[in-house]
Amino acid sequence: MSIALRYAARSDVGLVRSNNQDSAYAGPHLLVVADGMGGHAGGDVASSVAIAALAPLDGESHGPDDALDELERALEEAREEIITRSEVEPELAGMGTTVTAILRAGNKLAMVHLGDSRGYLLRDGVLTQVTTDHTFVQHLVNTGKITPEEAEHHPQRSVVMRVLGDFDADIAPDLSVREARAGDRWLLCSDGLSGFVSGETIARTLHEITDVDTCADRLVQLALRAGGGDNVTVVVADVLELDQVRDGAGPTTNAAVVGSAAISRNRPTSAQDGPAARAAELSRQAAASTPGGGVAVVDETADDDADERRTRRRRRVRALVLWLVGLAVLAGAAFGFYRWTQTQYYVGVDGEAVAVYRGIPQSVGPLSFSEVVETSDVLVEDLPPFVRDRVEQTIHSASLADARDRIDTLADDVAQAQQDAAAEQAAQEQAALDAAAEAAAAAAATTPPVEQPAAP
C-alpha cells in the first residue's frame, strides 16, 4: 500500500490582533502549525524560525525509525536560532512558539508537540484530539483540581507552560508515531480555532466538507464568526491510498507556507460576515479615513455656455451631498464601533499592578480604545512567569464581573504560591532543627561517662 497526503493550509490575522504571529507549513511529507508568542516584536519571529528549521524535513529521505530523531534535531536547531536572535536583538527576549508537527515516513506518521496548538484525527467519523495541551489549566485537570468542563471557561486556559523559546533549555516535547491509514483526516490548528469553536462543530465540519481547501476555509470563517479574538491557523490533510485514488483527485504536491512565515504575512483578515467582522471593518475604515478621502474631484473644462455651467454646478452640489452623506455614515459607523468597544473588558497591566480595562487593547493614532476602570492589589512581579506573560499580553473578559473573577483567581494563585513557599521554608527549617537534635542526641549517646573519684 502506497500512502500520500492531500492537504490545505490557511492562516488569518483575526479581528483583534494587529499582526499574525501564527505560521504553518504543509507539504507532501510534513505538516506544521506554530503559534508564536512574546508580543508584537517576537511571536512572529519565533514561529517563522520554527517553520524554517522544520521545512527542510519535507522529503522522502526519512525512515520510520529516524523520523522522530529528525524532528527533535530540527526543534533544537530552532531553539538555538531563537536564543541567538534574542541575544542579538534584546527586544525579542522572551519570545517563543508552540509547535505541532507531523512528518510522514512511508506509511508512518511521526508527531512532535509543544504548547497548546492541537492535533486532531478524524477516523471512521469520530474526531479524537491526539495531543495534550501544555497549559496551566490542563495541569489543573490532570491533577484533579478542576474538571474538563470547568477548564473550557477557566480564565487562565491560554497560559502555556511548555513552548519552544529562549527561556527553557529542556523543552521536553511529546513524541509519538502512528499509522497513516487511508481515509483518515488530520487537523492541526492553533488555539485561534480550538479556543473559539466547539469540538462538536469542528468534528461536523471535518466530516461534512470533503474538499480539504473548502474545509480549511470554512474552519477559519467559523473562528472569525465566533469573534476572531486571536490569529487562527489550520492545516487539513487527508491520507490517501494511491492505488485507490480517482483521476483528478490525487495528492497535493506543492508545499504551502502561511501566516507570519509567508510572503503574504501582512494580508488583512478574510472575515466574510458577522458582527465581529463588521466591527473590525468599521475600525479599519475609521483608521484609514481622512476628511474628503472618499470624494472624487471632477475637473470640468470651463465653458461660457450657461446651460453647461448649471450642469457643472448641479454635479458639484450632488458630489458635495454624497460626500456629506458618506461622511455622516462613516462617522456613525465609527461612533458605533467605539460604543461597541466600550462594552468589552480585559485584564492587563497598569504600572506594577494587574488592572481591569474597559475597551479593547488597540489604538488609532492618539485615540485609545481602552481605559483602566479598576486597579487590583495583585502585583505583576508576584505572578508566576508564565502567568505574568499572559497578563502582559492581556486576557479578554466577557464582562466586568468576569474580569474581576479572573483577577480574584490570579490573587488566589499568588496567595497559594506564597503559602506553598512559606510551608516549604517552614518544612526546611523544621528539618534542620530535627537534624540538629538528632546529631546532639547521637553525640550524647557516644560520649563515655565521667568517672567520679572514690571517697577517702
Side-chain angles (χ1 to χ4, degrees):
M1 181 174 66
S2 183
I3 291 296
L5 299 177
R6 182 166 56 234
Y7 50 82
R10 300 289 189 272
S11 186
D12 195 283
V13 68
L15 302 177
V16 174
R17 303 295 185 186
S18 58
N19 74 323
N20 194 346
Q21 299 187 30
D22 288 359
S23 294
Y25 179 96
H29 299 85
L30 179 70
L31 310 172
V32 188
V33 166
D35 182 354
M37 58 198 66
H40 182 89
D44 52 351
V45 174
S47 66
S48 298
V49 167
I51 295 299
L54 288 162
L57 300 181
D58 189 15
E60 298 182 352
S61 60
H62 314 290
D65 296 334
D66 62 359
L68 286 179
D69 293 337
E70 292 293 329
L71 286 170
E72 283 194 284
R73 179 188 56 76
L75 283 187
E76 181 60 23
E77 290 180 357
R79 189 182 71 85
E80 292 175 357
E81 175 64 19
I82 289 174
I83 291 174
T84 300
R85 292 291 298 271
S86 295
E87 292 173 347
V88 175
E89 304 175 64
E91 66 273 16
L92 299 179
M95 66 177 174
T97 182
T98 70
V99 176
T100 302
I102 293 176
L103 179 61
R104 184 175 70 84
N107 295 341
K108 300 294 182 181
L109 301 177
M111 172 177 278
V112 63
H113 170 67
L114 275 171
D116 63 346
S117 296
R118 290 183 177 180
Y120 292 93
L121 170 61
L122 181 69
R123 173 174 288 176
D124 299 328
V126 178
L127 184 67
T128 304
Q129 180 181 337
V130 298
T131 58
T132 300
D133 295 344
H134 297 149
T135 61
F136 176 65
V137 168
Q138 186 62 45
H139 170 71
L140 295 180
V141 174
N142 295 341
T143 55
K145 295 183 178 179
I146 63 174
T147 66
E149 291 73 23
E150 292 172 332
E152 293 180 1
H153 306 287
H154 196 282
Q156 297 177 16
R157 62 184 180 275
S158 296
V159 176
V160 184
M161 300 180 65
R162 207 188 311 176
V163 295
L164 181 69
D166 63 356
F167 43 80
D168 189 358
D170 184 11
I171 58 175
D174 292 342
L175 302 170
S176 60
V177 177
R178 292 176 172 80
E179 177 188 1
R181 184 182 299 180
D184 285 351
R185 168 165 284 188
W186 286 86
L187 167 65
L188 305 185
C189 66
S190 64
D191 64 341
L193 175 68
S194 58
F196 292 84
V197 181
S198 69
E200 293 79 2
T201 301
I202 293 175
R204 185 170 60 253
T205 303
L206 290 171
H207 180 71
E208 294 178 353
I209 302 179
T210 57
D211 180 71
V212 290
D213 289 283
T214 305
C215 185
D217 289 333
R218 178 62 175 170
L219 290 171
V220 170
Q221 290 303 318
L222 287 171
L224 297 176
R225 291 184 182 181
D230 199 356
N231 309 143
V232 52
T233 299
V234 303
V235 173
V236 179
D238 290 341
V239 180
L240 309 176
E241 183 176 349
L242 292 179
D243 295 340
Q244 298 179 359
V245 172
R246 305 186 313 272
D247 292 341
T252 314
T253 57
N254 296 325
V257 180
V258 296
S260 62
I263 297 176
S264 59
R265 57 184 174 274
N266 295 321
R267 179 179 298 167
T269 180
S270 62
Q272 296 174 354
D273 197 7
R278 290 193 291 272
E281 178 61 23
L282 291 174
S283 176
R284 285 192 294 272
Q285 291 178 3
S289 65
T290 56
V295 179
V297 179
V298 180
D299 183 15
E300 296 284 350
T301 303
D303 194 323
D304 293 335
D305 184 83
D307 291 339
E308 183 63 24
R309 286 197 300 270
R310 284 193 296 270
T311 300
R312 288 200 304 272
R313 268 198 306 272
R314 285 194 296 269
R315 289 175 179 171
R316 294 191 187 103
V317 171
R318 185 165 54 250
L320 178 60
V321 171
L322 291 175
W323 180 79
L324 291 173
V325 171
L327 185 62
V329 171
L330 184 59
F335 178 71
F337 171 72
Y338 179 77
R339 286 281 300 274
W340 171 81
T341 66
Q342 300 310 293
T343 65
Q344 307 299 303
Y345 292 89
Y346 67 90
V347 176
V349 176
D350 180 28
E352 298 179 352
V354 178
V356 176
Y357 285 79
R358 180 172 56 238
I360 59 176
Q362 287 184 308
S363 61
V364 177
L367 177 62
S368 174
F369 291 117
S370 64
E371 61 178 351
V372 176
V373 293
E374 291 181 6
T375 301
S376 73
D377 295 330
V378 180
L379 298 179
V380 177
E381 63 180 10
D382 292 338
L383 297 172
F386 56 88
V387 178
R388 186 185 311 134
D389 291 341
R390 178 58 179 155
V391 172
E392 289 175 347
Q393 295 179 19
T394 74
I395 302 174
H396 178 264
S397 303
S399 63
L400 177 58
D402 183 37
R404 289 170 175 166
D405 290 342
R406 291 171 185 264
I407 289 183
D408 288 343
T409 301
L410 294 176
D412 292 342
D413 291 342
V414 170
Q416 185 62 50
Q418 292 173 344
Q419 291 176 8
D420 293 345
E424 183 178 355
Q425 179 65 26
Q428 292 176 352
E429 292 176 355
Q430 184 61 46
L433 291 174
D434 294 343
E438 291 178 1
T446 57
T447 302
V450 179
E451 295 185 1
Q452 299 294 329

